[in-house]
Amino acid sequence: MEFILLVIIALLAGLIGSLVGLGGGVVLVPATLYIGLNLGMIPDITPQKVVGLSVVMMIFTGLASTLSYMKSKTVDYKSGFIFFIGSIPGTILGAWVNKGLDLPSFNLYFGILLIILSIILLVRDKLKPVKWFVKNGMQQEFTDSEGKTYVYGYPIWFAITLTFGIGFASGLFGIGGGSMIVPAMIILFLFPPHVAVATSMFMVFLTSIVNSASHVYFGHVPWLYTIPVIPGAYVGAKLGAALNKRIKSDTLVLALRIILLLLGIRSIIEGILA
């Protein structure tokens, strides 16, 4: 039964993650902890194993999404590699710190992070774009299928510093980092939204390889449970990337804001009361 539930969770994680550029970890981690520990269906699961499972999954969600977005030519490879360079040391450090977290501490800190992410998603459409980063950084152009040209950019030093912090959170909690980098790319760096999502998933793919290697080294990956999770996440990511080209994700993002907020509050309460 737990294998069927993990396939469903991974499918939703891949679909939602790819559709809005999240990576899927924010769905997989709390859902797996819930069925594993609260429902008692995976009694040997730990926060470390869930994070290890999540980062392995994100290799495949990132790969599936990137392959789809490559066809629509919305991936900014140069930016993706720059962001990846910044995230490498942060990811390794986060995986190392994860070793020392017990379940109450993990729930508390993860809950705080989920609430921060829900707030970011809540306010990102209300914030005015910041042009300073484009004017004072490396500039690039993108012309969409309708012929509209976008100018975006960023100081490389700032991008590397930002992605170090995002990489740390990714290694610590098993999230893809897209939930933090996509709003920054749109609001601060003025990326076109579809380019931001596609480039984010490319970065998630690259970062997850390093992230997974770190967690494999620390013995955090429950290989048995990757059997249902990997194919589910891969199929979900392909569906999400296909839907991203056809629909506006505003409704999904609104639902995600509420879900993350509720999950965050619940996780904090569990962390405090445990």
Side-chain angles (χ1 to χ4, degrees):
M1 183 63 182
E2 66 268 27
F3 273 59
I4 296 173
L5 288 174
L6 284 173
V7 169
I8 295 170
I9 290 170
L11 186 69
L12 290 173
L15 191 151
I16 294 171
S18 178
L19 185 59
V20 295
L22 290 176
V26 293
V27 175
L28 182 86
V29 171
T32 305
L33 279 176
Y34 180 76
I35 69 162
L37 298 179
N38 293 72
L39 300 183
M41 301 186 73
I42 314 176
D44 61 332
I45 205 72
T46 64
Q48 286 74 21
K49 289 181 179 179
V50 172
V51 170
L53 181 64
S54 179
V55 296
V56 170
M57 174 199 75
M58 286 187 296
I59 293 177
F60 296 90
T61 58
L63 176 61
S65 302
T66 299
L67 291 173
S68 296
Y69 290 129
M70 283 172 65
K71 296 176 183 177
S72 59
K73 299 182 179 179
T74 51
V75 180
D76 181 346
Y77 299 102
K78 185 175 182 180
S79 294
F81 277 115
I82 290 172
F83 299 158
F84 173 57
I85 289 169
S87 69
I88 291 173
T91 296
I92 295 171
L93 180 62
W96 180 77
V97 173
N98 173 271
K99 291 192 304 176
L101 286 182
D102 56 18
L103 182 60
S105 298
F106 182 88
N107 279 332
L108 177 62
Y109 299 137
F110 188 63
I112 293 171
L113 178 65
L114 290 181
I115 289 176
I116 291 172
L117 294 181
S118 69
I119 292 171
I120 290 173
L121 289 172
L122 184 66
V123 303
R124 79 175 189 182
D125 295 332
K126 296 175 175 60
L127 296 176
K128 292 183 179 180
V130 180
K131 297 182 179 180
W132 183 90
F133 295 94
V134 177
K135 292 179 179 177
N136 294 275
M138 179 186 70
Q139 295 185 5
Q140 295 179 241
E141 289 188 359
F142 173 78
T143 303
D144 63 19
S145 57
E146 298 176 356
K148 184 177 179 180
T149 299
Y150 297 82
V151 178
Y152 62 95
Y154 46 84
I156 293 178
W157 66 267
F158 181 83
I160 289 176
T161 303
L162 177 67
T163 50
F164 172 84
I166 291 172
F168 176 77
S170 179
L172 184 61
F173 296 113
I175 61 172
S179 47
M180 291 174 278
I181 192 66
V182 169
M185 291 165 74
I186 294 172
I187 297 166
L188 302 181
F189 305 158
L190 306 187
F191 270 69
H194 287 305
V195 177
V197 171
T199 305
S200 165
M201 293 309 298
F202 177 56
M203 187 196 78
V204 164
F205 167 60
L206 296 176
T207 303
S208 296
I209 295 173
V210 177
N211 209 349
S212 296
S214 300
H215 283 282
V216 168
Y217 176 78
F218 293 126
H220 294 167
V221 179
W223 293 108
L224 178 64
Y225 299 124
T226 63
I227 296 171
V229 165
I230 288 174
Y234 187 87
V235 172
K238 296 289 281 187
L239 291 173
L243 287 173
N244 178 274
K245 302 168 189 175
R246 293 175 171 80
I247 65 172
K248 291 184 177 180
S249 57
D250 294 351
T251 303
L252 181 64
V253 171
L254 176 62
L256 197 62
R257 292 167 185 162
I258 298 170
I259 292 169
L260 289 179
L261 185 62
L262 294 175
L263 286 174
I265 293 171
R266 176 183 166 278
S267 187
I268 289 173
I269 291 172
E270 285 195 352
I272 293 173
L273 296 180

